[in-house]
Amino acid sequence: MAVSFSPLHFKPSFSFSSSSLPKFSCSIRPAVILPGLGNNSGDYDKLRLILQKRYGVPSVVVKVSRIDWLRNAAGLLDPNYWRGTLRPRPVLDWYLNKTDEAIQEAKELAQGEALSLIGHSAGGWLARVYMEEFGISHISMLLTLGTPHLPPPKHLPGVIDQTRGLLNYVDKYCSKPGYNPELKYVCIAGRYIQGARLFSYSDANTIPAAASIANNQPAPELTIENSTSSSTNTPTFRARFVGQGYKQVCGESEVWGDGVVPEVSAHLEGAINVSFDGVYHSPVGSDDELRPWVKVGEASFG
């Protein structure tokens, strides 16, 4: 199920009847926020404030500092890093343990009720690793924000798996949406900028989710439409630069995404997939009106 939202309004435009819209429990679930790569806990202060004041949802952010991410350098000592077959543990045990500490704190707020996990960027697939390793008995929903869920296609010229096999591990060993009917998956993607090829450009109005096909994986129920009407405009340097980043994630440069993660990579088959126009990837470096945080509540807690 894919849903698209306008950048100026919170009212969604659906291609199906209102009776088929996703339903969420009216009870308030405390949320645990998992920061993305390079982010620290303070980057999510505004999100915490919005969840609490607008929706009455208490939250706990996994306590991560920017310097903590340097611990990942330990993976360089693992031969699997150089083979491209790296596993999350033990390299990411430090993050998983911090996540468990935050979840234990949130459990006290929940008073026996279930929790929601909100994973931003890499925090989304790290949440999936956590659930696989620590269990899901106390978790009722995983909400991901701009998370690259799918591994990049293999053996594609110019594409290097920047996770060194971590996403292949997640895709192969971590549970997919629908495995447990009591656990909801909501995957939010941003449509902030369309990428372009580095040296040439094709202006197709409909771009297939080629990454999933190239990776021999079923594509999410999603068609990426280019709403721009100009066929003669030369792509900007920024679009070319962003396109090269998209290519490293999904194997294609001429796709829409949030400036870092392509839309097609941020959705999962079987999840409730939501796309927001005009939403940038990170809480750092984006204009307030383009941040995804205000819109998250409308999709999941409203």
Side-chain angles (χ1 to χ4, degrees):
M1 180 187 299
V3 187
S4 293
F5 287 75
S6 164
L8 299 179
H9 303 281
F10 294 139
K11 183 178 180 181
S13 174
F14 297 100
S15 59
F16 42 81
S17 67
S18 59
S19 62
S20 64
L21 295 181
K23 301 293 192 303
F24 295 98
S25 171
C26 293
S27 61
I28 299 298
R29 296 181 295 254
V32 176
I33 301 170
L34 287 74
L37 179 66
N39 289 106
N40 66 22
S41 304
D43 294 337
Y44 303 89
D45 286 345
K46 186 171 184 179
L47 175 57
R48 288 190 64 195
L49 186 64
I50 290 169
L51 291 175
Q52 180 64 59
K53 290 196 171 182
R54 184 170 296 190
Y55 305 104
V57 176
S59 60
V60 177
V61 182
V62 176
K63 293 179 174 61
V64 174
S65 66
R66 299 198 203 285
I67 199 170
D68 278 331
W69 294 101
L70 294 178
R71 302 184 188 193
N72 291 357
L76 296 170
L77 302 177
D78 189 333
N80 288 306
Y81 176 92
W82 305 102
R83 300 189 191 107
T85 57
L86 190 64
R87 291 170 171 255
R89 308 190 75 173
V91 175
L92 290 165
D93 276 352
W94 68 270
Y95 189 100
L96 298 176
N97 290 333
K98 284 177 176 288
T99 299
D100 192 54
E101 291 172 4
I103 286 179
Q104 299 309 317
E105 182 179 345
K107 279 184 175 180
E108 297 181 7
L109 299 175
Q111 297 181 347
E113 298 296 325
L115 307 173
S116 297
L117 300 186
I118 302 176
H120 167 235
S121 194
W125 61 259
L126 281 164
R128 295 175 63 192
V129 174
Y130 175 87
M131 292 190 295
E132 197 68 29
E133 296 291 328
F134 289 75
I136 62 171
S137 61
H138 48 286
I139 300 168
S140 62
M141 182 174 73
L142 170 62
L143 172 68
T144 64
L145 306 172
T147 291
H149 286 288
L150 304 177
K154 296 181 179 179
H155 312 302
L156 194 65
V159 175
I160 300 174
D161 180 4
Q162 299 177 46
T163 70
R164 307 309 300 148
L166 290 173
L167 280 179
N168 279 300
Y169 178 92
V170 172
D171 186 62
K172 185 175 181 178
Y173 295 107
C174 293
S175 299
K176 305 291 195 301
Y179 177 78
N180 186 330
E182 301 301 317
L183 176 63
K184 295 183 176 70
Y185 280 71
V186 181
C187 300
I188 294 182
R191 288 171 57 88
Y192 180 75
I193 183 173
Q194 183 184 18
R197 293 182 184 178
L198 189 58
F199 298 112
S200 61
Y201 182 71
S202 89
D203 188 33
N205 286 327
T206 301
I207 304 169
S212 296
I213 298 173
N215 212 18
N216 294 320
Q217 297 173 343
E221 299 175 16
L222 169 68
T223 298
I224 306 172
E225 296 184 355
N226 180 359
S227 60
T228 57
S229 59
S230 174
S231 60
T232 59
N233 288 345
T234 301
T236 63
F237 172 79
R238 184 184 188 188
R240 294 179 190 273
F241 180 80
V242 168
Q244 293 313 295
Y246 290 164
K247 184 177 179 179
Q248 299 305 310
V249 180
C250 74
E252 291 287 319
S253 56
E254 296 178 282
V255 296
W256 279 93
D258 60 18
V260 176
V261 175
E263 182 180 14
V264 67
S265 299
H267 287 168
L268 269 176
E269 183 183 21
I272 298 168
N273 293 314
V274 183
S275 292
F276 287 112
D277 291 335
V279 169
Y280 184 62
H281 177 76
S282 176
V284 178
S286 61
D287 296 330
D288 285 344
E289 64 271 22
L290 296 178
R291 291 183 182 179
W293 317 130
V294 175
K295 301 176 183 180
V296 169
E298 290 292 332
S300 305
F301 298 101

